[in-house]
Amino acid sequence: MEAFVTTLLLTAIVQTGDRSQLLCAGLAMRFDRRALLIAAVAAASVAGAAIAAIGGQVVGDWISRDALSLFYALSLLFAGLGMLGWRRPVDLLQGWRIGPFFTTLFGVMILQFGDKGQFIVAATAARSHDALWPLLGGATGTVIGLIPGIVWQDELARWPLRPVRIGAGLCIAALGILLALSAFGLV
């Protein structure tokens, strides 16, 4: 259950002001089909979290406990640092003519593939030697993190996302550093 809760919280936080959230806001303005977009986000989140969780569980069987601790710490450190960096502009997929569900499904899957949240899910699955709880936590956290983009679309631009991203990024990076030092036996 710890794997579920930590993965849910971390993946929801790292979505704040992220390109995926902004893509969801743009697609919600374009299509105005909130329930359908949320369903597509849920499907994309489950698929991405499943890939990450299964991969993490496989990796977890191959490496030592200390290496797993370091892998988890680095996933948090890089997620936190990723929240501090500059983001490229979001392509709103205007040229895609495959409907609101599939545009959202594939757009979110592409943006999420190899993203911060997936590494957190993989590292948690590797560390816990369980794919189910990190998968469920990661998928749920991603959906929770992306729904504000769909529901509040244009209001999202007025929210102070940058300070929130910086604060959360610094906290997550600091936690990653602390866990890395612990993995090396320095704390």
PDB file of all heavy atoms in Angstrom, residues 46-59 71 112-115 117-126 131 134-135:
ATOM      1  N   VAL A  46      -2.986   4.330 -17.647  1.00  0.00           N
ATOM      2  CA  VAL A  46      -2.892   2.913 -17.284  1.00  0.00           C
ATOM      3  C   VAL A  46      -1.866   2.207 -18.170  1.00  0.00           C
ATOM      4  O   VAL A  46      -1.030   1.427 -17.688  1.00  0.00           O
ATOM      5  CB  VAL A  46      -4.270   2.219 -17.353  1.00  0.00           C
ATOM      6  CG1 VAL A  46      -4.135   0.708 -17.263  1.00  0.00           C
ATOM      7  CG2 VAL A  46      -5.182   2.737 -16.250  1.00  0.00           C
ATOM      8  N   ALA A  47      -1.908   2.481 -19.462  1.00  0.00           N
ATOM      9  CA  ALA A  47      -0.958   1.839 -20.385  1.00  0.00           C
ATOM     10  C   ALA A  47       0.484   2.232 -20.039  1.00  0.00           C
ATOM     11  O   ALA A  47       1.361   1.367 -19.948  1.00  0.00           O
ATOM     12  CB  ALA A  47      -1.282   2.217 -21.829  1.00  0.00           C
ATOM     13  N   GLY A  48       0.717   3.519 -19.843  1.00  0.00           N
ATOM     14  CA  GLY A  48       2.075   3.971 -19.516  1.00  0.00           C
ATOM     15  C   GLY A  48       2.551   3.450 -18.178  1.00  0.00           C
ATOM     16  O   GLY A  48       3.710   3.018 -18.035  1.00  0.00           O
ATOM     17  N   ALA A  49       1.672   3.461 -17.172  1.00  0.00           N
ATOM     18  CA  ALA A  49       2.056   2.959 -15.852  1.00  0.00           C
ATOM     19  C   ALA A  49       2.295   1.448 -15.884  1.00  0.00           C
ATOM     20  O   ALA A  49       3.179   0.938 -15.188  1.00  0.00           O
ATOM     21  CB  ALA A  49       0.990   3.315 -14.822  1.00  0.00           C
ATOM     22  N   ALA A  50       1.532   0.736 -16.706  1.00  0.00           N
ATOM     23  CA  ALA A  50       1.731  -0.717 -16.814  1.00  0.00           C
ATOM     24  C   ALA A  50       3.101  -1.036 -17.401  1.00  0.00           C
ATOM     25  O   ALA A  50       3.825  -1.908 -16.892  1.00  0.00           O
ATOM     26  CB  ALA A  50       0.630  -1.340 -17.667  1.00  0.00           C
ATOM     27  N   ILE A  51       3.468  -0.326 -18.457  1.00  0.00           N
ATOM     28  CA  ILE A  51       4.789  -0.538 -19.064  1.00  0.00           C
ATOM     29  C   ILE A  51       5.884  -0.255 -18.035  1.00  0.00           C
ATOM     30  O   ILE A  51       6.820  -1.045 -17.872  1.00  0.00           O
ATOM     31  CB  ILE A  51       4.965   0.352 -20.305  1.00  0.00           C
ATOM     32  CG1 ILE A  51       4.042  -0.112 -21.428  1.00  0.00           C
ATOM     33  CG2 ILE A  51       6.417   0.365 -20.780  1.00  0.00           C
ATOM     34  CD1 ILE A  51       3.900   0.877 -22.570  1.00  0.00           C
ATOM     35  N   ALA A  52       5.757   0.852 -17.328  1.00  0.00           N
ATOM     36  CA  ALA A  52       6.773   1.237 -16.350  1.00  0.00           C
ATOM     37  C   ALA A  52       6.825   0.253 -15.181  1.00  0.00           C
ATOM     38  O   ALA A  52       7.912  -0.148 -14.741  1.00  0.00           O
ATOM     39  CB  ALA A  52       6.498   2.645 -15.834  1.00  0.00           C
ATOM     40  N   ALA A  53       5.661  -0.139 -14.663  1.00  0.00           N
ATOM     41  CA  ALA A  53       5.630  -1.034 -13.501  1.00  0.00           C
ATOM     42  C   ALA A  53       6.182  -2.419 -13.826  1.00  0.00           C
ATOM     43  O   ALA A  53       6.952  -2.987 -13.045  1.00  0.00           O
ATOM     44  CB  ALA A  53       4.204  -1.136 -12.968  1.00  0.00           C
ATOM     45  N   ILE A  54       5.810  -2.944 -14.978  1.00  0.00           N
ATOM     46  CA  ILE A  54       6.314  -4.266 -15.365  1.00  0.00           C
ATOM     47  C   ILE A  54       7.817  -4.195 -15.615  1.00  0.00           C
ATOM     48  O   ILE A  54       8.574  -5.063 -15.167  1.00  0.00           O
ATOM     49  CB  ILE A  54       5.554  -4.812 -16.587  1.00  0.00           C
ATOM     50  CG1 ILE A  54       4.107  -5.124 -16.184  1.00  0.00           C
ATOM     51  CG2 ILE A  54       6.232  -6.041 -17.166  1.00  0.00           C
ATOM     52  CD1 ILE A  54       3.166  -5.367 -17.339  1.00  0.00           C
ATOM     53  N   GLY A  55       8.257  -3.151 -16.306  1.00  0.00           N
ATOM     54  CA  GLY A  55       9.696  -2.973 -16.516  1.00  0.00           C
ATOM     55  C   GLY A  55      10.444  -2.814 -15.206  1.00  0.00           C
ATOM     56  O   GLY A  55      11.521  -3.391 -15.016  1.00  0.00           O
ATOM     57  N   GLY A  56       9.883  -2.058 -14.281  1.00  0.00           N
ATOM     58  CA  GLY A  56      10.511  -1.871 -12.979  1.00  0.00           C
ATOM     59  C   GLY A  56      10.592  -3.162 -12.188  1.00  0.00           C
ATOM     60  O   GLY A  56      11.606  -3.442 -11.540  1.00  0.00           O
ATOM     61  N   GLN A  57       9.544  -3.948 -12.238  1.00  0.00           N
ATOM     62  CA  GLN A  57       9.563  -5.217 -11.516  1.00  0.00           C
ATOM     63  C   GLN A  57      10.622  -6.157 -12.092  1.00  0.00           C
ATOM     64  O   GLN A  57      11.328  -6.838 -11.353  1.00  0.00           O
ATOM     65  CB  GLN A  57       8.192  -5.879 -11.545  1.00  0.00           C
ATOM     66  CG  GLN A  57       8.119  -7.104 -10.665  1.00  0.00           C
ATOM     67  CD  GLN A  57       6.730  -7.710 -10.625  1.00  0.00           C
ATOM     68  OE1 GLN A  57       5.896  -7.440 -11.486  1.00  0.00           O
ATOM     69  NE2 GLN A  57       6.493  -8.529  -9.625  1.00  0.00           N
ATOM     70  N   VAL A  58      10.764  -6.169 -13.409  1.00  0.00           N
ATOM     71  CA  VAL A  58      11.796  -7.007 -14.039  1.00  0.00           C
ATOM     72  C   VAL A  58      13.182  -6.542 -13.618  1.00  0.00           C
ATOM     73  O   VAL A  58      14.034  -7.340 -13.224  1.00  0.00           O
ATOM     74  CB  VAL A  58      11.640  -6.991 -15.582  1.00  0.00           C
ATOM     75  CG1 VAL A  58      12.846  -7.599 -16.267  1.00  0.00           C
ATOM     76  CG2 VAL A  58      10.367  -7.714 -15.985  1.00  0.00           C
ATOM     77  N   VAL A  59      13.404  -5.225 -13.666  1.00  0.00           N
ATOM     78  CA  VAL A  59      14.707  -4.675 -13.266  1.00  0.00           C
ATOM     79  C   VAL A  59      14.972  -4.960 -11.793  1.00  0.00           C
ATOM     80  O   VAL A  59      16.098  -5.269 -11.398  1.00  0.00           O
ATOM     81  CB  VAL A  59      14.764  -3.155 -13.561  1.00  0.00           C
ATOM     82  CG1 VAL A  59      15.964  -2.503 -12.895  1.00  0.00           C
ATOM     83  CG2 VAL A  59      14.801  -2.914 -15.050  1.00  0.00           C
ATOM     84  N   PHE A  71      18.438   3.664  -7.462  1.00  0.00           N
ATOM     85  CA  PHE A  71      17.555   3.858  -8.613  1.00  0.00           C
ATOM     86  C   PHE A  71      16.333   4.697  -8.208  1.00  0.00           C
ATOM     87  O   PHE A  71      15.957   5.642  -8.897  1.00  0.00           O
ATOM     88  CB  PHE A  71      17.129   2.487  -9.161  1.00  0.00           C
ATOM     89  CG  PHE A  71      16.167   2.520 -10.320  1.00  0.00           C
ATOM     90  CD1 PHE A  71      16.278   3.439 -11.348  1.00  0.00           C
ATOM     91  CD2 PHE A  71      15.142   1.581 -10.398  1.00  0.00           C
ATOM     92  CE1 PHE A  71      15.392   3.444 -12.425  1.00  0.00           C
ATOM     93  CE2 PHE A  71      14.253   1.581 -11.462  1.00  0.00           C
ATOM     94  CZ  PHE A  71      14.380   2.519 -12.470  1.00  0.00           C
ATOM     95  N   GLN A 112       4.046  11.116 -22.235  1.00  0.00           N
ATOM     96  CA  GLN A 112       4.351  10.447 -20.972  1.00  0.00           C
ATOM     97  C   GLN A 112       5.444   9.384 -21.107  1.00  0.00           C
ATOM     98  O   GLN A 112       6.061   9.022 -20.110  1.00  0.00           O
ATOM     99  CB  GLN A 112       3.086   9.781 -20.418  1.00  0.00           C
ATOM    100  CG  GLN A 112       2.033  10.744 -19.964  1.00  0.00           C
ATOM    101  CD  GLN A 112       2.412  11.451 -18.690  1.00  0.00           C
ATOM    102  OE1 GLN A 112       2.895  10.844 -17.754  1.00  0.00           O
ATOM    103  NE2 GLN A 112       2.207  12.748 -18.673  1.00  0.00           N
ATOM    104  N   PHE A 113       5.669   8.896 -22.317  1.00  0.00           N
ATOM    105  CA  PHE A 113       6.635   7.804 -22.476  1.00  0.00           C
ATOM    106  C   PHE A 113       8.036   8.275 -22.091  1.00  0.00           C
ATOM    107  O   PHE A 113       8.586   9.185 -22.690  1.00  0.00           O
ATOM    108  CB  PHE A 113       6.623   7.271 -23.910  1.00  0.00           C
ATOM    109  CG  PHE A 113       7.348   5.966 -24.043  1.00  0.00           C
ATOM    110  CD1 PHE A 113       6.756   4.801 -23.592  1.00  0.00           C
ATOM    111  CD2 PHE A 113       8.620   5.910 -24.573  1.00  0.00           C
ATOM    112  CE1 PHE A 113       7.422   3.592 -23.692  1.00  0.00           C
ATOM    113  CE2 PHE A 113       9.293   4.705 -24.674  1.00  0.00           C
ATOM    114  CZ  PHE A 113       8.692   3.543 -24.235  1.00  0.00           C
ATOM    115  N   GLY A 114       8.597   7.655 -21.082  1.00  0.00           N
ATOM    116  CA  GLY A 114       9.931   8.013 -20.607  1.00  0.00           C
ATOM    117  C   GLY A 114       9.961   9.285 -19.780  1.00  0.00           C
ATOM    118  O   GLY A 114      11.022   9.845 -19.536  1.00  0.00           O
ATOM    119  N   ASP A 115       8.807   9.723 -19.317  1.00  0.00           N
ATOM    120  CA  ASP A 115       8.714  10.953 -18.537  1.00  0.00           C
ATOM    121  C   ASP A 115       8.984  10.665 -17.061  1.00  0.00           C
ATOM    122  O   ASP A 115       9.116   9.513 -16.641  1.00  0.00           O
ATOM    123  CB  ASP A 115       7.320  11.561 -18.737  1.00  0.00           C
ATOM    124  CG  ASP A 115       7.217  12.992 -18.269  1.00  0.00           C
ATOM    125  OD1 ASP A 115       8.185  13.747 -18.480  1.00  0.00           O
ATOM    126  OD2 ASP A 115       6.170  13.354 -17.708  1.00  0.00           O
ATOM    127  N   GLY A 117       7.151  10.723 -14.402  1.00  0.00           N
ATOM    128  CA  GLY A 117       6.203   9.843 -13.723  1.00  0.00           C
ATOM    129  C   GLY A 117       6.468   8.375 -13.997  1.00  0.00           C
ATOM    130  O   GLY A 117       6.361   7.534 -13.108  1.00  0.00           O
ATOM    131  N   GLN A 118       6.834   8.061 -15.223  1.00  0.00           N
ATOM    132  CA  GLN A 118       7.115   6.658 -15.552  1.00  0.00           C
ATOM    133  C   GLN A 118       8.352   6.146 -14.813  1.00  0.00           C
ATOM    134  O   GLN A 118       8.374   4.998 -14.386  1.00  0.00           O
ATOM    135  CB  GLN A 118       7.284   6.474 -17.054  1.00  0.00           C
ATOM    136  CG  GLN A 118       5.972   6.316 -17.765  1.00  0.00           C
ATOM    137  CD  GLN A 118       6.129   5.681 -19.125  1.00  0.00           C
ATOM    138  OE1 GLN A 118       7.103   5.917 -19.833  1.00  0.00           O
ATOM    139  NE2 GLN A 118       5.159   4.881 -19.503  1.00  0.00           N
ATOM    140  N   PHE A 119       9.356   6.989 -14.659  1.00  0.00           N
ATOM    141  CA  PHE A 119      10.540   6.550 -13.917  1.00  0.00           C
ATOM    142  C   PHE A 119      10.226   6.356 -12.444  1.00  0.00           C
ATOM    143  O   PHE A 119      10.740   5.438 -11.807  1.00  0.00           O
ATOM    144  CB  PHE A 119      11.707   7.519 -14.116  1.00  0.00           C
ATOM    145  CG  PHE A 119      12.451   7.263 -15.383  1.00  0.00           C
ATOM    146  CD1 PHE A 119      12.236   8.057 -16.495  1.00  0.00           C
ATOM    147  CD2 PHE A 119      13.331   6.209 -15.484  1.00  0.00           C
ATOM    148  CE1 PHE A 119      12.898   7.801 -17.681  1.00  0.00           C
ATOM    149  CE2 PHE A 119      14.005   5.932 -16.671  1.00  0.00           C
ATOM    150  CZ  PHE A 119      13.784   6.736 -17.768  1.00  0.00           C
ATOM    151  N   ILE A 120       9.361   7.189 -11.900  1.00  0.00           N
ATOM    152  CA  ILE A 120       8.951   7.013 -10.506  1.00  0.00           C
ATOM    153  C   ILE A 120       8.191   5.702 -10.347  1.00  0.00           C
ATOM    154  O   ILE A 120       8.434   4.940  -9.403  1.00  0.00           O
ATOM    155  CB  ILE A 120       8.116   8.218 -10.027  1.00  0.00           C
ATOM    156  CG1 ILE A 120       9.014   9.458  -9.917  1.00  0.00           C
ATOM    157  CG2 ILE A 120       7.428   7.917  -8.701  1.00  0.00           C
ATOM    158  CD1 ILE A 120       8.278  10.756  -9.683  1.00  0.00           C
ATOM    159  N   VAL A 121       7.277   5.407 -11.268  1.00  0.00           N
ATOM    160  CA  VAL A 121       6.528   4.150 -11.221  1.00  0.00           C
ATOM    161  C   VAL A 121       7.482   2.960 -11.346  1.00  0.00           C
ATOM    162  O   VAL A 121       7.399   1.995 -10.576  1.00  0.00           O
ATOM    163  CB  VAL A 121       5.449   4.097 -12.327  1.00  0.00           C
ATOM    164  CG1 VAL A 121       4.826   2.712 -12.430  1.00  0.00           C
ATOM    165  CG2 VAL A 121       4.380   5.146 -12.080  1.00  0.00           C
ATOM    166  N   ALA A 122       8.402   3.019 -12.307  1.00  0.00           N
ATOM    167  CA  ALA A 122       9.352   1.920 -12.504  1.00  0.00           C
ATOM    168  C   ALA A 122      10.233   1.715 -11.279  1.00  0.00           C
ATOM    169  O   ALA A 122      10.443   0.577 -10.841  1.00  0.00           O
ATOM    170  CB  ALA A 122      10.218   2.194 -13.734  1.00  0.00           C
ATOM    171  N   ALA A 123      10.741   2.798 -10.714  1.00  0.00           N
ATOM    172  CA  ALA A 123      11.616   2.685  -9.546  1.00  0.00           C
ATOM    173  C   ALA A 123      10.858   2.160  -8.338  1.00  0.00           C
ATOM    174  O   ALA A 123      11.392   1.362  -7.556  1.00  0.00           O
ATOM    175  CB  ALA A 123      12.239   4.043  -9.237  1.00  0.00           C
ATOM    176  N   THR A 124       9.614   2.575  -8.180  1.00  0.00           N
ATOM    177  CA  THR A 124       8.811   2.080  -7.055  1.00  0.00           C
ATOM    178  C   THR A 124       8.496   0.602  -7.240  1.00  0.00           C
ATOM    179  O   THR A 124       8.565  -0.179  -6.284  1.00  0.00           O
ATOM    180  CB  THR A 124       7.504   2.888  -6.917  1.00  0.00           C
ATOM    181  OG1 THR A 124       7.832   4.273  -6.825  1.00  0.00           O
ATOM    182  CG2 THR A 124       6.743   2.472  -5.678  1.00  0.00           C
ATOM    183  N   ALA A 125       8.172   0.196  -8.458  1.00  0.00           N
ATOM    184  CA  ALA A 125       7.901  -1.223  -8.723  1.00  0.00           C
ATOM    185  C   ALA A 125       9.153  -2.063  -8.504  1.00  0.00           C
ATOM    186  O   ALA A 125       9.088  -3.161  -7.942  1.00  0.00           O
ATOM    187  CB  ALA A 125       7.380  -1.407 -10.145  1.00  0.00           C
ATOM    188  N   ALA A 126      10.297  -1.545  -8.921  1.00  0.00           N
ATOM    189  CA  ALA A 126      11.550  -2.274  -8.722  1.00  0.00           C
ATOM    190  C   ALA A 126      11.855  -2.421  -7.237  1.00  0.00           C
ATOM    191  O   ALA A 126      12.226  -3.501  -6.770  1.00  0.00           O
ATOM    192  CB  ALA A 126      12.698  -1.546  -9.420  1.00  0.00           C
ATOM    193  N   ALA A 131       4.369  -5.023  -9.116  1.00  0.00           N
ATOM    194  CA  ALA A 131       3.974  -4.138 -10.215  1.00  0.00           C
ATOM    195  C   ALA A 131       2.591  -3.537 -10.009  1.00  0.00           C
ATOM    196  O   ALA A 131       2.325  -2.423 -10.462  1.00  0.00           O
ATOM    197  CB  ALA A 131       4.011  -4.905 -11.537  1.00  0.00           C
ATOM    198  N   PRO A 134       2.293   0.023  -7.618  1.00  0.00           N
ATOM    199  CA  PRO A 134       2.853   1.183  -8.314  1.00  0.00           C
ATOM    200  C   PRO A 134       2.103   1.516  -9.613  1.00  0.00           C
ATOM    201  O   PRO A 134       1.926   2.691  -9.939  1.00  0.00           O
ATOM    202  CB  PRO A 134       4.293   0.769  -8.611  1.00  0.00           C
ATOM    203  CG  PRO A 134       4.602  -0.260  -7.588  1.00  0.00           C
ATOM    204  CD  PRO A 134       3.312  -0.990  -7.363  1.00  0.00           C
ATOM    205  N   LEU A 135       1.645   0.494 -10.329  1.00  0.00           N
ATOM    206  CA  LEU A 135       0.862   0.718 -11.545  1.00  0.00           C
ATOM    207  C   LEU A 135      -0.410   1.490 -11.207  1.00  0.00           C
ATOM    208  O   LEU A 135      -0.715   2.516 -11.825  1.00  0.00           O
ATOM    209  CB  LEU A 135       0.508  -0.629 -12.182  1.00  0.00           C
ATOM    210  CG  LEU A 135      -0.240  -0.638 -13.507  1.00  0.00           C
ATOM    211  CD1 LEU A 135      -0.052  -1.968 -14.189  1.00  0.00           C
ATOM    212  CD2 LEU A 135      -1.702  -0.317 -13.410  1.00  0.00           C
TER     213      LEU A 135
END
